[in-house]
Amino acid sequence: MMLSNLLQKMMGKGETRSSDVARKRLKLALVCDSLEVSDEVLNNLREDLLDVISTYFEIDRKEFTLDIDKTDDYSALVMNTPILSALRR
């Protein structure tokens, strides 16, 4: 197995099944409902985070993900931001 394939698997990249994507979207929708977070608030938060991170790094905005994971004890905001390079000031 090539190193790039291994890294893609470790990073969660590669092929994803549509059922996996649908399950993840449903899970996010249920968590947002239980936290009373509207789609508008989540989209605004996503854009704000992208704007702030973009002041320091060149990022792949299309690959940015923002999810809320919930357990019995807590809820966590989980963000994945592919960084292309650091911006020089």
Side-chain angles (χ1 to χ4, degrees):
M1 177 179 290
M2 294 186 64
L3 181 59
S4 62
N5 292 344
L6 178 62
L7 289 174
Q8 286 180 345
K9 286 188 179 198
M10 291 174 56
M11 301 290 287
K13 303 273 186 196
E15 294 185 32
T16 57
R17 297 186 322 222
S18 60
S19 63
D20 293 336
V21 172
R23 185 177 300 115
K24 187 174 181 179
R25 286 182 182 162
L26 178 59
K27 181 179 175 186
L28 179 61
L30 292 172
V31 169
C32 287
D33 282 349
S34 70
L35 292 174
E36 297 179 8
V37 176
S38 70
D39 287 340
E40 181 181 1
V41 169
L42 202 56
N43 285 333
N44 289 342
L45 177 59
R46 181 182 192 281
E47 290 304 315
D48 289 347
L49 288 169
L50 282 169
D51 290 343
V52 169
I53 295 167
S54 293
T55 62
Y56 300 97
F57 298 100
E58 179 184 356
I59 61 173
D60 186 348
R61 293 176 80 92
K62 293 182 292 184
E63 294 295 322
F64 178 88
T65 60
L66 180 65
D67 295 312
I68 298 175
D69 284 345
K70 185 172 181 171
T71 67
D72 291 337
D73 299 327
Y74 63 88
S75 297
L77 187 64
V78 180
M79 179 176 64
N80 182 12
T81 311
I83 297 173
L84 303 174
S85 66
L87 296 178
R88 306 285 184 233
R89 292 189 176 229

